[in-house]
Amino acid sequence: MEVILKAKDLCKTFSNESMQQHVLKNLNLEIRRGEFVVIMGNSGSGKSTLLYALSGMDRPTLGSVCYQDEEITGYSNDRLAVFRRENCGFVFQQNYLNDTMSVLDNIMVSGLLKSRDRKAIVRKAEKLLLQVGLDERCFRKFPSQLSGGEAQRVAIVRGLINDPKILFADEPTGALNSANTENVLNVLSSLHEKGQTIVMVTHDIRSARRADKIKYLQDGMITGELELGKYRSGDGARHEKLRLFLKEMGW
């Protein structure tokens, strides 16, 4: 598969008057088209920092990030904004939906950043909402009228509305109960089956086992990788393989 995203010698340092904190340290990483990659590691290992650097939401201190062989590290802020709009979708632990807007309007706001064809965006949003298991009764509801799992599925649709090449997810099930977590993971697995490239940060084994690959981050460096292959529900051997890998990594 084609390498769609590549980080080379990536460093990120945060400084204040008294000290420097080296969060990423000469990190190298490749993401291939169609992969579902999960980044794991203990709290403070640099997982979210890496996700933001890969997606152009933050700039590395040193090193480069290349998207399809084009380096984006030196892009201006405006050009990075265009890059993200054209190529990236985002889902976070908190859904960040606007409580004063309906479900459809929350999605439309993102869609209209790329296209002015309002009717086409509405049709596409409705189709995507149905695909993630939300029927017409939800379209005009406000976020406060949804369950946590429903709201997060709306957030996923918002992340997909502009046909992202890569969907970045930062702890997307971290604020959900067990049932809603399963619903959201099923949506992500379904998207992956259709060819969506996904890069996800998580601390949850149940979420991580949906991935093709696990990359383990420790002290700003990737210290281990695990190939899991295609996900199948009820695969106990897969869960045990992941558990043993994480134990070996000191997780």
Side-chain angles (χ1 to χ4, degrees), residues 55-126:
S55 64
M57 290 185 68
D58 194 12
R59 295 181 184 275
T61 305
L62 294 171
S64 62
V65 176
C66 293
Y67 173 76
Q68 292 184 322
D69 295 325
E70 183 176 359
E71 186 175 344
I72 67 170
T73 319
Y75 280 4
S76 67
N77 289 337
D78 287 346
R79 193 173 179 190
L80 272 176
V82 172
F83 165 78
R84 291 192 299 269
R85 185 173 68 226
E86 297 290 331
N87 299 286
C88 305
F90 298 93
V91 185
F92 302 98
Q93 181 172 341
Q94 303 300 323
N95 57 64
Y96 296 118
L97 298 175
N98 188 324
D99 286 332
T100 67
M101 301 169 66
S102 71
V103 163
L104 266 179
D105 286 340
N106 266 280
I107 298 166
M108 292 289 294
V109 167
S110 293
L112 288 169
L113 291 174
K114 187 173 180 179
S115 170
R116 293 299 173 186
D117 190 342
R118 187 178 181 87
K119 289 183 178 180
I121 297 170
V122 169
R123 289 194 298 270
K124 185 176 180 181
E126 291 177 343

Side-chain angles (χ1 to χ4, degrees), residues 6-220:
K6 183 176 182 180
K8 184 176 181 182
D9 299 329
L10 209 61
C11 299
K12 181 65 179 181
T13 301
F14 294 100
S15 302
N16 57 35
E17 293 181 357
S18 60
M19 63 176 293
Q20 288 187 330
Q21 182 183 9
H22 303 287
V23 181
L24 300 177
K25 304 172 185 176
N26 297 311
L27 184 146
N28 294 284
L29 173 69
E30 290 185 349
I31 305 293
R32 297 182 180 275
R33 188 182 299 278
E35 285 186 331
F36 188 165
V37 177
V38 156
I39 300 167
M40 298 191 78
N42 290 320
S43 179
S45 60
K47 303 184 298 296
S48 293
T49 300
L50 175 57
L51 196 77
Y52 298 155
L54 292 174
S55 64
M57 290 185 68
D58 194 12
R59 295 181 184 275
T61 305
L62 294 171
S64 62
V65 176
C66 293
Y67 173 76
Q68 292 184 322
D69 295 325
E70 183 176 359
E71 186 175 344
I72 67 170
T73 319
Y75 280 4
S76 67
N77 289 337
D78 287 346
R79 193 173 179 190
L80 272 176
V82 172
F83 165 78
R84 291 192 299 269
R85 185 173 68 226
E86 297 290 331
N87 299 286
C88 305
F90 298 93
V91 185
F92 302 98
Q93 181 172 341
Q94 303 300 323
N95 57 64
Y96 296 118
L97 298 175
N98 188 324
D99 286 332
T100 67
M101 301 169 66
S102 71
V103 163
L104 266 179
D105 286 340
N106 266 280
I107 298 166
M108 292 289 294
V109 167
S110 293
L112 288 169
L113 291 174
K114 187 173 180 179
S115 170
R116 293 299 173 186
D117 190 342
R118 187 178 181 87
K119 289 183 178 180
I121 297 170
V122 169
R123 289 194 298 270
K124 185 176 180 181
E126 291 177 343
K127 181 179 178 181
L128 286 169
L129 286 166
L130 291 171
Q131 287 177 358
V132 302
L134 297 174
D135 62 28
E136 291 90 343
R137 292 172 295 178
C138 290
F139 294 177
R140 297 297 175 186
K141 285 185 178 181
F142 291 90
S144 61
Q145 297 173 298
L146 304 176
S147 71
E150 288 171 337
Q152 193 65 308
R153 279 180 276 169
V154 174
I156 291 173
V157 170
R158 182 184 57 193
L160 294 171
I161 194 64
N162 290 329
D163 298 315
K165 307 298 188 303
I166 307 174
L167 182 66
F168 292 96
D170 190 2
E171 299 282 7
T173 62
L176 302 179
N177 63 27
S178 179
N180 284 327
T181 290
E182 196 68 17
N183 288 333
V184 168
L185 291 176
N186 287 340
V187 170
L188 293 174
S189 291
S190 177
L191 292 170
H192 175 51
E193 284 287 329
K194 296 172 183 175
Q196 178 68 57
T197 307
I198 302 173
V199 180
M200 180 171 76
V201 163
T202 187
H203 68 278
D204 178 44
I205 292 181
R206 182 170 57 169
S207 300
R209 67 187 181 194
R210 298 293 184 116
D212 300 326
K213 290 183 179 180
I214 307 294
K215 296 187 183 289
Y216 194 85
L217 200 62
Q218 186 172 15
D219 296 329

